[in-house]
Amino acid sequence: MDIFKIEGPVKLSGDIRINGSKNAALPIMAATILAPGKSTILDVPDLADINVLKTLLTSLGATVETRQKGEVEIDTSVIDNPVGEYDIVRKMRASICILGPLLARCGRAEVSMPGGCAIGDRPVDIHLRGLRELGAEICLKNGNIVATAPKGLIGKQIFLGGPFGSTVLGTANILMAATLAKGTTVIESAACEPEIGDLAGILNAMGAKITGMGSPRLTIEGVKSLSPVKYRVIGDRIEAGTFMVAAAITKGNLRLHNCNLDHMLAIVDRLEHIGVTIDTADDGCVVTRTGSIKAADITTQTYPGFPTDLQAQLMALLAHADGNSIVTEKIFPDRFMHVAEMNRMAANIRKEGASAIIAGVKNLVAAPIMASDLRASAALVLAAMAAHGTTIINRVYHIDRGYEKIEKKLNAAGAKITRESV
Ligand code: EPZ
């Protein structure tokens, strides 16, 4: 198991290229199931989660070839085993996004119910409701979702909202299934995340007829078949936001490439309020902090609101603010595993239900800490770069799920991170 040894405080400066988006690449790779033949996806990040999906696609009968620089060729000419095995699916919850395409292509699918994870329950009831609305018969057998559509799927108007608003992968599943359904489907309360827009982009490139991207109402006119394509995924706004905080927390200056600020307005709003300068530049932006860190209130929401995947990272920054901040988690109310770890570094954060009250302190102090979920772990790396002393972060495999060679990128900008196997 790997650990990180991180010396602080450091001041970051330099250029960082943002990778293709993990959360766009995952459903996009699943979408190739719908288009028999060889699709090539460009700028796919080299991550543990992506590798799980490659293994899963191969287990379904596809052939996956990873080439240089994030180019992945997926040949789905043969999909002869529409079963997502527990041993693979349990490694990554997002595996659920093969359900819709498998059902649409094969008329049946069996996918293990994804387990929970460190950020809380991860139900899929809305996914299943949406597929039933399209005419699928669904039952649970030995922990597996068994879905069949012997007569094919039939388009329909479907409300896909839940207690926490829209669902990203639920929208992805229904969107993909609807592309081959008979007739027209309207998804009300669809997720508006840019990653869903990117998924709709490849599906339309394959021959689907989807309108309403970026809005909560998606209309899909079913077609007979889809064809394989070559497609580049968008930049990862969550990785970009993480590195924006890296510049801010170390009072540094970073130029980020391959990031689209149009997808990050809520993040830019909060960071500028806190005292961070973000200037558009070339294919990205320049992020600088020179003055103090102002306290701020942050509530996570579905897009275009503030993303839950950057909540922990902003908390690491606000731990140093002048005054008190409140962070409220409306998407995953239990997503606060990082609070106890930051408090071990002398932060002063108190959890109150789905909120955390952060009393800013002058600086954090290095300590041995534990990574938990993907984004919380990245937040601990940020905190450690600003903390005084050498921090040890255990279980960094969590970080490798969503950040490609994070220590290489940060060290090239002045961080002092050593990865060790223990
Ligand atoms: C996606 O997960 C992302 N993952 C998550 O990023 C992200 O945190 C999340 O969206 C919210 O933005 C990928 O795209 C691979 P949801 P997803 O369905 O689709 C509830 C990361 O760090 N819900 O939008 O699984 C659910 O419990 C990961 O990269 C239901 O109640 O999330 C949550 O409270 C972590 N029933 C809320 O909706 C359902 O059927 C939003 O979840 C589905 C979801």
Side-chain angles (χ1 to χ4, degrees):
M1 199 171 298
D2 287 358
I3 64 166
F4 275 163
K5 272 188 181 169
I6 302 178
E7 273 180 59
V10 295
K11 190 192 254 295
L12 297 186
S13 69
D15 290 60
I16 291 183
R17 183 187 183 276
I18 301 302
N19 284 100
S21 162
K22 166 180 84 80
N23 290 352
L26 290 169
I28 281 173
M29 289 167 69
T32 61
I33 293 169
L34 295 162
K38 288 183 180 177
S39 287
T40 301
I41 315 298
L42 304 175
D43 210 6
V44 176
D46 177 14
L47 300 169
D49 275 10
I50 296 287
N51 294 335
V52 170
L53 191 60
K54 290 176 183 174
T55 306
L56 189 54
L57 289 170
T58 307
S59 74
L60 304 178
T63 308
V64 179
E65 191 187 329
T66 302
R67 302 202 182 112
Q68 291 305 319
K69 291 197 181 3
E71 185 175 311
V72 177
E73 182 188 82
I74 304 171
D75 184 351
T76 56
S77 308
V78 173
I79 296 288
D80 53 7
N81 176 37
V83 179
E85 302 289 345
Y86 174 67
D87 274 352
I88 306 173
V89 170
R90 68 182 172 82
K91 291 181 187 138
M92 184 193 55
R93 217 202 132 274
S95 307
I96 191 69
C97 68
I98 65 169
L99 183 59
L102 274 183
L103 191 55
R105 162 129 180 212
C106 308
R108 63 189 177 89
E110 196 171 321
V111 180
S112 169
M113 274 289 272
C117 65
I119 62 178
D121 284 350
R122 307 294 296 272
V124 292
D125 57 310
I126 304 173
H127 298 237
L128 304 186
R129 174 180 10 127
L131 291 174
R132 284 194 177 100
E133 293 274 0
L134 289 174
E137 288 162 21
I138 290 176
C139 65
L140 292 185
K141 209 166 71 180
N142 313 324
N144 283 349
I145 299 161
V146 181
T148 52
K151 301 191 199 72
L153 298 171
I154 318 281
K156 194 176 177 200
Q157 182 166 38
I158 300 171
F159 176 71
L160 219 47
F164 299 92
S166 51
T167 157
V168 175
L169 288 180
T171 301
N173 256 328
I174 305 313
L175 177 61
M176 288 189 279
T179 57
L180 296 180
K182 294 184 195 73
T184 300
T185 299
V186 176
I187 302 176
E188 298 287 1
S189 190
C192 302
E193 275 69 4
E195 294 75 27
I196 292 296
D198 212 19
L199 172 62
I202 189 173
L203 290 169
N204 279 346
M206 289 173 162
K209 292 187 177 146
I210 303 164
T211 53
M213 278 82 94
S215 85
R217 169 182 282 193
L218 294 175
T219 302
I220 307 102
E221 206 183 307
V223 294
K224 283 250 171 299
S225 63
L226 296 180
S227 312
V229 292
K230 180 178 265 198
Y231 192 83
R232 177 179 293 277
V233 301
I234 54 172
D236 192 320
R237 63 192 170 102
I238 304 302
E239 186 192 28
T242 303
F243 286 127
M244 284 179 175
V245 176
I249 207 169
T250 61
K251 217 171 179 180
N253 173 306
L254 287 178
R255 178 183 289 266
L256 304 182
H257 300 270
N258 191 35
C259 78
N260 180 351
L261 289 184
D262 285 351
H263 294 163
M264 306 180 71
L265 298 181
I267 302 152
V268 170
D269 165 69
R270 290 295 80 197
L271 286 173
E272 287 182 339
H273 175 87
I274 288 167
V276 182
T277 307
I278 300 168
D279 297 315
T280 310
D282 309 331
D283 62 341
C285 59
V286 176
V287 187
T288 318
R289 177 177 68 95
T290 50
S292 65
I293 296 170
K294 290 188 195 62
D297 291 346
I298 291 175
T299 299
T300 66
Q301 292 164 317
T302 53
Y303 191 88
F306 189 90
T308 175
D309 291 350
L310 281 169
Q311 178 256 104
Q313 296 91 318
L314 262 287
M315 190 181 285
L317 181 59
L318 292 170
H320 302 78
D322 296 341
N324 292 350
S325 305
I326 301 177
V327 170
T328 301
E329 182 49 79
K330 293 267 192 193
I331 305 297
F332 294 108
D334 298 332
R335 193 174 197 171
F336 289 114
M337 297 282 281
H338 41 287
V339 168
E341 301 307 310
M342 288 181 190
N343 285 341
R344 282 178 52 77
M345 301 173 78
N348 182 352
I349 306 170
R350 195 176 75 247
K351 207 168 119 24
E352 289 282 334
S355 293
I357 292 114
I358 304 140
V361 296
K362 195 168 172 313
N363 58 264
L364 299 186
V365 180
I369 51 180
M370 187 76 74
S372 54
D373 78 273
L374 159 56
R375 306 301 176 181
S377 314
L380 296 179
V381 171
L382 301 176
M385 287 192 294
H388 290 233
T390 302
T391 297
I392 308 280
I393 302 184
N394 295 289
R395 299 186 183 170
V396 294
Y397 62 84
H398 287 290
I399 300 175
D400 296 334
R401 289 188 47 207
Y403 293 88
E404 184 177 333
K405 304 184 188 67
I406 193 169
E407 75 271 25
K408 286 195 171 50
K409 288 188 174 181
L410 290 171
N411 285 342
K416 294 175 187 157
I417 304 173
T418 318
R419 180 189 288 257
E420 291 181 9
S421 291
V422 294

